[in-house]
Amino acid sequence: SFGDDISFTCSAMGGPGNTFQWQRNGQDIDNATSETLSITGINATTDGGTYTCTVSNTAGNASDSSTLMVNLMITLQPLNTSAINGSSVTLTCEAESFPAP
């Protein structure tokens, strides 16, 4: 949910010299090179997506992925509106989530 914290853990056997690299939606995450990836204050726009951990050593590499789904949050509430009977009214409401609403 929005604002929550989460941690992903990637454990690997083998080695020596295992190195870790985390990606979000196929892009390396800067300085995300340990077994655990922590995200604080989850936001759908910047944090929702597929996370992949790749572990490498001299023998090769292995990867595994998980998708972070972010629950829907209304970001713009509709405003109270008055109208004349029979006229048209437009109410606006915006929300964010991953995947997008």
Side-chain angles (χ1 to χ4, degrees):
S1 293
F2 268 81
D4 287 350
D5 300 337
I6 191 169
S7 292
F8 294 100
T9 301
C10 180
S11 55
M13 299 178 72
N18 289 343
T19 61
F20 296 82
Q21 178 62 60
W22 286 93
Q23 294 183 326
R24 176 180 172 261
N25 298 331
Q27 300 295 314
D28 285 354
I29 301 171
D30 291 338
N31 301 313
T33 55
S34 66
E35 292 181 30
T36 302
L37 175 67
S38 296
I39 302 170
T40 57
I42 292 172
N43 177 299
T45 306
T46 58
D47 298 319
T50 300
Y51 287 82
T52 302
C53 173
T54 301
V55 183
S56 303
N57 63 28
T58 55
N61 61 62
S63 298
D64 201 4
S65 299
S66 184
T67 300
L68 175 61
M69 309 289 274
V70 181
N71 291 335
L72 186 70
M73 178 179 160
I74 294 176
T75 57
L76 177 65
Q77 297 278 348
L79 301 174
N80 292 332
T81 304
S82 298
I84 298 171
N85 190 22
S87 64
S88 297
V89 173
T90 301
L91 299 174
T92 302
C93 177
E94 293 179 5
E96 290 185 19
S97 69
F98 185 87

